[in-house]
């Protein structure tokens, strides 16, 4: 996907080194997605996985190196929040991709504002208030199945988990 998107980009070239900080709950998918996006646009990457997931991150980086990504273009920096704080405060960084809590994203934003060039991009995915609307056309059995799956799959520890449920008034009684 990212390679295809990068092929169509004509106006912007590489920005410089990017920091990619990924979460614990999708330790491979988000980690490699952030890295692929930065690499596809010609940037070097300093990859900092969640402190709980360094082994899968190390294996992913090893596979990327084996596949031909130069070690000078991709470095793994495992560790706790102190590593992330140092990386997101370094004026040599050209951009940050972060997936995690809103609180941490705000800390990163402040550190970047204090230390990096104006306009340095921060791509922060911090979850949301995902809603589901159940109207009169919904089959109650299917709606209940989907409500439970969206709310509690992965113990609710995913940014796409259902947080708000709207039931059309004339069908609400069927869900009590």
């Amino acid at each position: 996907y990212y390679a295809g998107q990068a092929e169509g980009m004509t106006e912007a070239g590489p920005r410089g080194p990017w920091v990619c900080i990924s979460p614990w709950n999708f330790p491979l998918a988000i980690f490699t997605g952030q890295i692929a996006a930065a690499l596809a646009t010609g940037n070097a990457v300093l990859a900092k996985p969640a402190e709980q997931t360094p082994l899968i991150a190390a294996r992913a980086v090893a596979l990327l190196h084996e596949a031909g990504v130069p070690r000078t273009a991709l470095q793994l920096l495992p560790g706790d929040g102190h590593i992330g704080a140092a990386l997101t405060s370094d004026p040599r960084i050209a951009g940050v991709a972060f997936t995690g809590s809103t609180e941490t994203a705000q800390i990163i934003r402040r550190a970047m504002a204090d230390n990096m060039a104006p306009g340095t991009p921060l791509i922060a995915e911090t979850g949301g208030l995902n809603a589901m609307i159940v109207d009169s056309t919904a089959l109650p059995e299917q709606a209940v199945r989907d409500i439970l799956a969206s709310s509690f799959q992965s113990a609710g520890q995913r940014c796409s988990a259902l947080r708000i449920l709207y039931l059309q008034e004339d069908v609400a009684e069927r869900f009590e």
Side-chain angles (χ1 to χ4, degrees), residues 131-144:
M132 182 182 293
I133 300 170
V134 179
D135 67 12
S136 61
T137 65
L139 296 172
E141 310 81 35
Q142 185 175 6
V144 168

Side-chain angles (χ1 to χ4, degrees), residues 90-161:
D90 191 314
R92 297 171 292 177
I93 299 302
V96 175
F98 169 77
T99 302
S101 74
T102 300
E103 178 185 356
T104 301
Q106 291 170 342
I107 292 167
I108 291 170
R109 179 183 50 86
R110 285 190 294 273
M112 290 175 67
D114 290 343
N115 296 290
M116 294 181 188
T120 300
L122 168 62
I123 300 168
E125 179 189 1
T126 61
L129 295 174
N130 298 296
M132 182 182 293
I133 300 170
V134 179
D135 67 12
S136 61
T137 65
L139 296 172
E141 310 81 35
Q142 185 175 6
V144 168
R145 183 195 69 216
D146 293 344
I147 290 164
L148 291 173
S150 182
S151 299
F152 300 109
Q153 204 169 41
S154 301
Q157 298 296 314
R158 57 188 332 164
C159 55
S160 58

Side-chain angles (χ1 to χ4, degrees), residues 9-49:
M9 294 177 64
T10 57
E11 58 201 56
R15 298 183 63 93
W18 273 68
V19 170
C20 294
I21 302 174
S22 60
W24 60 269
N25 60 344
F26 290 96
L28 185 60
I30 294 174
F31 181 75
T32 55
Q34 291 174 338
I35 291 168
L39 289 173
T41 52
N43 299 292
V45 177
L46 301 170
K48 193 247 172 260

